Amino acid sequence: MKMPAQSLPVMLTMLAAAGRAHAQEAAADALFDSARAAMAKGDFERACEQFKASDKLDPASGTELNLADCEEKRGRLAGAWELFRTVEEKLSANDERLPVAHARAQALQGRVPRLTVRLAPGAPPSSTFREGGVEFDAATFGLPLPMDPGAHELLVSAPGFVPRLFSLRLAEGESRELTVLPGAPLKQVQPAAVPLPSSTPRESSSGRAGTRTLGFALGGVGIGGVSVGAVAGVLMLGQKNAVNDECHPDKSCTKAGLAAAHSAHTLQAVSNVGWVVGAAALGAGAYLLLTSNTRDKPSTTLALAPTPTGGQLSLNRSW
């Protein structure tokens, strides 16, 4: 059979696409079989992740039903309930799996905890909160949100305010309300000023020695701060890699992933503070050492203030 030359690229593209689809289906089948084996052994963490990967490669209602069953067995009731409902909506009326999906969804409905988050009077309307890897905007305040049983941490924030963390634990079937608000406005967080030794226009040699000692001390603080910032930064990258491994594009994470995300957030704050304090202390120490031989000494004030991402260290000199 003869084929026009211009049709050849189209045919090759179609063959390549068919090959990719076949490879994806084969990988999805292998993941599905492995997940079923893990379920039989009670390894629900591994099974659920493999069911998710299989469904991503080759979406199928049967895979989603197995994933919903797996999520229920590992205690993620809210996700399981939502999956059963989603499959129920997809299946046709004559599909024999429809009654199963409906019955499982109905059975889970009463077991899923609900948390109603309300904004405290006077709190900024722009407030939002984050739970795990999911951020909820202002529209969700006042709604009974399905949650998994167990421990939860809600980070409430708003532009111009210090974030505030709320911790709680939910039991199966529990309905609870929680009133939240962010922390204090940033402009109300005043720096804590620490006066440094000042000198008179005719400073004695002992006074100059004291200034040099202070310069060396600040240099040591600076080196320590930079070291802490660097070490915390390296650890933070490790935790972020763990988050990438344990969390998925649908924003669902394993327990290890949630723990890694929380650790990465804390390490980032520590790293920021370490670098800010270290760099400022090094600069202040160098300035004091370079000016310690002058006769006229200005007054010095060192101030440390928290910021949303760490801290701020300032050195003020007055003449």
Side-chain angles (χ1 to χ4, degrees):
M1 182 180 64
K2 294 184 178 180
M3 179 184 301
Q6 61 268 27
S7 301
L8 183 59
V10 177
M11 179 64 69
L12 292 175
T13 301
M14 293 175 62
L15 289 173
R20 286 195 299 270
H22 180 73
Q24 286 184 345
E25 290 177 0
D29 290 342
L31 284 165
F32 182 87
D33 292 340
S34 179
R36 294 279 292 182
M39 281 277 287
K41 296 177 182 178
D43 188 356
F44 303 123
E45 295 291 332
R46 179 179 178 83
C48 290
E49 298 312 311
Q50 289 185 332
F51 278 134
K52 286 181 183 178
S54 175
D55 191 61
K56 186 176 180 180
L57 289 173
D58 185 22
S61 297
T63 306
E64 291 171 357
L65 273 174
N66 279 273
L67 175 58
D69 181 52
C70 182
E71 293 286 21
E72 180 181 357
K73 284 181 169 60
R74 71 168 172 173
R76 296 190 177 181
L77 303 187
W81 177 61
E82 183 61 32
L83 278 168
F84 280 126
R85 293 175 64 206
T86 300
V87 174
E88 183 183 359
E89 293 174 358
K90 289 181 179 180
L91 297 177
S92 60
N94 59 350
D95 195 307
E96 61 182 7
R97 296 169 298 180
L98 180 61
V100 177
H102 176 75
R104 296 291 295 274
Q106 290 295 313
L108 275 175
Q109 185 171 1
R111 296 175 56 196
V112 176
R114 263 74 171 181
L115 177 64
T116 303
V117 183
R118 300 191 183 279
L119 202 56
S126 58
S127 298
T128 61
F129 69 94
R130 177 179 293 274
E131 200 279 326
V134 182
E135 184 168 356
F136 299 86
D137 59 24
T140 57
F141 286 114
L143 298 178
L145 303 175
M147 294 279 183
D148 291 326
H152 295 271
E153 288 188 339
L154 277 63
L155 185 66
V156 182
S157 59
F161 290 79
V162 177
R164 176 176 291 177
L165 188 66
F166 293 81
S167 299
L168 71 156
R169 179 174 290 274
L170 296 172
E172 281 195 21
E174 180 180 7
S175 294
R176 186 186 298 189
E177 292 191 3
L178 179 68
T179 302
V180 301
L181 75 165
L186 288 175
K187 63 182 180 180
Q188 293 183 7
V189 181
Q190 300 297 332
V194 180
L196 299 179
S198 59
S199 57
T200 62
R202 295 183 179 180
E203 184 180 24
S204 65
S205 60
S206 62
R208 288 194 295 272
T211 301
R212 289 178 62 82
T213 301
L214 179 60
F216 283 119
L218 283 174
V221 172
I223 293 173
V226 170
S227 300
V228 170
V231 172
V234 172
L235 294 175
M236 177 189 67
L237 292 177
Q239 294 298 323
K240 284 188 175 180
N241 289 334
V243 172
N244 293 335
D245 293 338
E246 300 294 336
C247 297
H248 304 278
D250 61 357
K251 297 184 178 180
S252 63
C253 299
T254 64
K255 291 182 180 179
L258 294 176
H262 181 71
S263 297
H265 180 78
T266 302
L267 287 170
Q268 183 176 13
V270 173
S271 179
N272 290 342
V273 172
W275 280 108
V276 170
V277 172
L282 283 173
Y287 179 83
L288 291 178
L289 289 174
L290 291 173
T291 60
S292 61
N293 291 326
T294 60
R295 297 184 60 85
D296 295 332
K297 297 294 180 182
S299 61
T300 307
T301 301
L302 187 68
L304 176 64
T307 68
T309 58
Q312 175 179 309
L313 183 70
S314 60
L315 180 70
N316 299 316
R317 301 280 283 180
S318 60
W319 287 267

